[in-house]
Amino acid sequence: MELINLNDICKTYTKSKQPVNVLKKISLAVNSGDFLGIVGASGSGKTTLLNIIGFLDSQSSGDYIFLNKPTNKLTKKQLAKLRTENIGFIFQNFNLINSLTALENVTLPLYYKGINKRKREAMGISALKSVGLEEKCNFYPSELSGGQCQRVAVARAVVTKPKLILADEPTGNLDSFSGETIKKLLFELNRKGHTIILITHDKEFSSLLPKTATLKDGVIKVNS
Amino acid sequence: MEKLIPTLIDGLNLGSVYALVALGYTMVYGIAKMLNFAHGDVIMVGAYTLFVCITTLHLPLWLTFIIAILVCSVLGFIVEKLAYKPLRGSSPLAVLITAIGVSYLLQNLALLFANTKYGMDKQFFSSFLNLGSLKIGNVTISGVDFLIWITTAVIMVGMMLFIKKTKTGRAMLAVSEDKGAAQLMGVNVNKTISITFIIGSALAAIASILFAAKYQFVESTMGSLFGIKAFAAAVFGGIGSIPGAVIGGVIIGIIEAFSTAFLPGSVNAASDGFAFVILIIMLVLKPTGLLGKQTTEKV
């Protein structure tokens, strides 16, 4: 099943009154269950593309079809709903809430979906278990290592059972051992059926991915 | 020596009211990352509302309190929507100047209203809240004193529980730490900021009720110095921290009361300034304030 279809997506910024074309006619299809790596030099437009896919930014032109529905005419509120219901995010800097425990961080997205406390906690513990951190439920981010924080962030991204996981350099801030753990975890999630799109600078990691796309000066080239 | 306990009581009263206003400053700063310099003037609006309801409309006291809280909450909501929301993402300086502008606008509207309606802007309440008093030895503590202390303590604990235990509270916590991540977790950031302004303004209304009950006057400029002292209290306690705002408020109130009571006549006219001297010393020794947390910005 086709999850994402980008057709001639362009993104233009204005810098010092000069238009800058960050993305040039990007066409890309991602199917359910895919694991796609986006690679390219800094400034090539990777994060802009990921932001557009995650409805955090909008394209200047082109069509974005998500779950077989065009998204161009949706309001900000409708896009936010689409995002919260279908997409989980993992960031390089983990972006956990420091004054909440690991379990509270993981259950936060469930809170705003109106799920009751009992069910929230059960789902949170199960998500933490899936990343091997069930015994750290009541630990605060400051009491966890970088790798453990990122595993909590992965648990938070998957707890709502999203159709798509977007990860922006998830191993970029980790030592090699913790990085390996996160990579294994992402492959495992993909095996379980999660569709993943990630940005990485790690050539070894991208060489293991079934599908990669290279961005160079705003132009995409898909390598299968 | 016989002045010590009454001065302490004065300091606690003043400090508790500062604390309630400081809570609004600290919450708005923590969540919207802006200094709402018009916050002090919300107290003034609350006090005028009380004055009109009590002396002109002769409404029952309970209804007066509800009206004051509602008026201030709606005012906080409108100010945020009209003046601050359009500036989201603008430079902090633009927001700061706007806040100062809103503060002067509220003061001048109040001045216009009071001058037109009553002939002058400073007005005095008759004693509207008589709760008796308690005599311990030579010291008399009024019921209003107790009401001020208990209300402040209950609100501080209530706010801490609210932030930690409720859905809206957690949204506020998440927005204050990481607006972007909060949004991705499904938190409605704009709604959370609006709620913060409404709660902060409601607390300012409660502060105005306690202030009017104790000091029994209202004037159009009362909010500006009050606001600056409450802001100093929030910074003293560590801006962003709820118990910090209350502790900061109480300390600033006590310093002010003691400097007024014990310094020689020629110096105590400057008692307002002593709280700020202590604030500067505090910031030199501990820049994050008493309970503030050091945050590191990753680049």
Side-chain angles (χ1 to χ4, degrees):
Chain A
M1 181 190 150
E2 197 172 72
L3 192 64
I4 289 170
N5 193 319
L6 303 178
N7 199 4
D8 285 343
I9 295 283
C10 294
K11 179 74 186 177
T12 309
Y13 290 116
T14 309
K15 198 176 177 185
S16 308
K17 293 182 183 169
Q18 293 294 316
V20 180
N21 299 315
V22 187
L23 298 177
K24 297 169 190 163
K25 294 202 164 202
I26 303 278
S27 293
L28 179 71
V30 178
N31 293 322
S32 198
D34 274 0
F35 194 161
L36 170 72
I38 300 175
V39 295
S42 295
S44 57
K46 301 187 299 293
T47 299
T48 308
L49 178 59
L50 204 73
N51 285 345
I52 290 173
I53 293 173
F55 307 113
L56 296 171
D57 200 350
S58 55
Q59 66 271 29
S60 307
S61 66
D63 298 319
Y64 178 5
I65 294 162
F66 186 80
L67 286 169
N68 296 322
K69 283 178 193 147
T71 61
N72 291 21
K73 286 181 183 163
L74 296 182
T75 61
K76 272 189 177 175
K77 206 172 173 181
Q78 287 169 321
L79 289 173
K81 190 166 182 270
L82 205 59
R83 182 173 62 225
T84 6
E85 282 177 359
N86 297 294
I87 306 174
F89 290 85
I90 304 168
F91 307 96
Q92 186 177 0
N93 291 331
F94 329 132
N95 295 67
L96 298 176
I97 307 300
N98 291 318
S99 41
L100 298 179
T101 63
L103 182 61
E104 287 168 342
N105 263 289
V106 172
T107 54
L108 197 62
L110 302 173
Y111 227 125
Y112 302 101
K113 285 189 137 194
I115 295 169
N116 69 47
K117 193 181 175 189
R118 216 178 193 176
K119 202 170 172 199
R120 262 196 331 257
E121 287 195 353
M123 288 169 80
I125 290 167
S126 153
L128 280 168
K129 205 172 176 180
S130 73
V131 297
L133 282 179
E134 69 270 35
E135 78 284 7
K136 304 277 186 192
C137 281
N138 296 320
F139 282 55
Y140 287 90
S142 59
E143 298 166 329
L144 301 172
S145 69
Q148 288 171 331
C149 281
Q150 193 59 300
R151 278 150 69 190
V152 174
V154 171
R156 184 179 62 179
V158 298
V159 74
T160 53
K161 301 191 170 36
K163 293 189 175 64
L164 173 67
I165 294 171
L166 298 179
D168 194 349
E169 294 196 52
T171 58
N173 244 351
L174 301 176
D175 60 82
S176 56
F177 177 77
S178 305
E180 286 306 316
T181 315
I182 296 297
K183 285 176 203 169
K184 277 182 197 157
L185 207 55
L186 291 172
F187 277 116
E188 202 181 309
L189 287 172
N190 181 240
R191 264 197 301 277
K192 284 180 183 167
H194 286 280
T195 309
I196 303 175
I197 301 178
L198 72 84
I199 290 176
T200 184
H201 278 298
D202 182 342
K203 283 186 181 152
E204 199 190 310
F205 188 17
S206 58
S207 69
L208 298 171
L209 298 176
K211 191 174 170 187
T212 57
T214 309
L215 262 175
K216 194 179 174 190
D217 300 325
V219 178
I220 201 163
K221 190 179 159 225
V222 179
N223 334 287
S224 290
Chain B
M1 193 61 195
E2 73 274 11
K3 272 166 77 180
L4 198 69
I5 302 290
T7 308
L8 189 66
I9 291 171
D10 278 349
L12 280 174
N13 287 335
L14 207 51
S16 300
V17 184
Y18 288 154
L20 288 178
V21 186
L23 277 176
Y25 268 110
T26 221
M27 284 170 60
V28 166
Y29 180 81
I31 286 143
K33 294 287 176 283
M34 64 158 290
L35 291 172
N36 177 19
F37 271 113
H39 186 62
D41 298 291
V42 178
I43 272 216
M44 173 270 294
V45 172
Y48 270 118
T49 309
L50 283 174
F51 185 78
V52 172
C53 290
I54 292 171
T55 59
T56 308
L57 302 174
H58 306 291
L59 296 176
L61 219 45
W62 63 269
L63 185 58
T64 297
F65 293 167
I66 292 174
I67 291 173
I69 293 171
L70 281 177
V71 166
C72 290
S73 304
V74 171
L75 177 69
F77 177 77
I78 292 173
V79 165
E80 195 275 324
K81 277 277 171 287
L82 293 184
Y84 303 142
K85 196 182 169 197
L87 295 176
R88 210 103 78 218
S90 306
S91 80
L93 199 61
V95 183
L96 187 70
I97 298 293
T98 305
I100 293 170
V102 172
S103 167
Y104 277 102
L105 178 71
L106 292 177
Q107 278 177 41
N108 283 287
L109 286 175
L111 186 67
L112 184 70
F113 165 77
N115 275 342
T116 315
K117 179 102 180 138
Y118 303 108
M120 61 184 289
D121 79 313
K122 187 163 186 172
Q123 297 293 325
F124 293 89
F125 288 89
S126 51
S127 174
F128 65 86
L129 201 61
N130 199 347
L131 302 173
S133 61
L134 183 72
K135 201 165 164 62
I136 307 166
N138 292 330
V139 180
T140 307
I141 306 172
S142 74
V144 172
D145 296 339
F146 278 117
L147 180 71
I148 291 175
W149 305 339
I150 291 168
T151 307
T152 305
V154 166
I155 286 177
M156 181 187 80
V157 175
M159 283 314 299
M160 285 165 74
L161 287 173
F162 173 79
I163 298 254
K164 188 75 186 157
K165 300 281 177 197
T166 68
K167 189 172 167 180
T168 310
R170 284 209 183 168
M172 289 161 93
L173 206 58
V175 173
S176 75
E177 282 195 35
D178 193 331
K179 213 182 272 181
Q183 196 176 7
L184 298 184
M185 299 309 121
V187 174
N188 185 334
V189 174
N190 281 331
K191 191 173 148 195
T192 306
I193 293 176
S194 292
I195 292 173
T196 308
F197 270 83
I198 291 171
I199 293 175
S201 303
L203 296 182
I206 295 171
S208 73
I209 294 169
L210 299 175
F211 180 86
K214 181 72 192 170
Y215 302 101
Q216 300 174 354
F217 76 90
V218 53
E219 64 180 326
S220 62
T221 51
M222 66 186 269
S224 56
L225 186 60
F226 214 97
I228 288 175
K229 284 185 192 163
F231 170 60
V235 176
F236 191 100
I239 199 143
S241 159
I242 285 177
V246 174
I247 294 168
V250 170
I251 291 175
I252 298 255
I254 290 174
I255 292 170
E256 190 181 323
F258 271 80
S259 52
T260 309
F262 290 99
L263 290 172
S266 56
V267 185
N268 81 13
S271 66
D272 279 341
F274 283 96
F276 295 102
V277 172
I278 301 293
L279 173 71
I280 292 167
I281 296 171
M282 173 74 192
L283 289 180
V284 169
L285 296 175
K286 196 171 185 294
T288 53
L290 213 55
L291 303 181
K293 283 180 198 152
Q294 187 80 48
T295 53
T296 45
E297 196 127 317
K298 281 180 185 160
V299 287

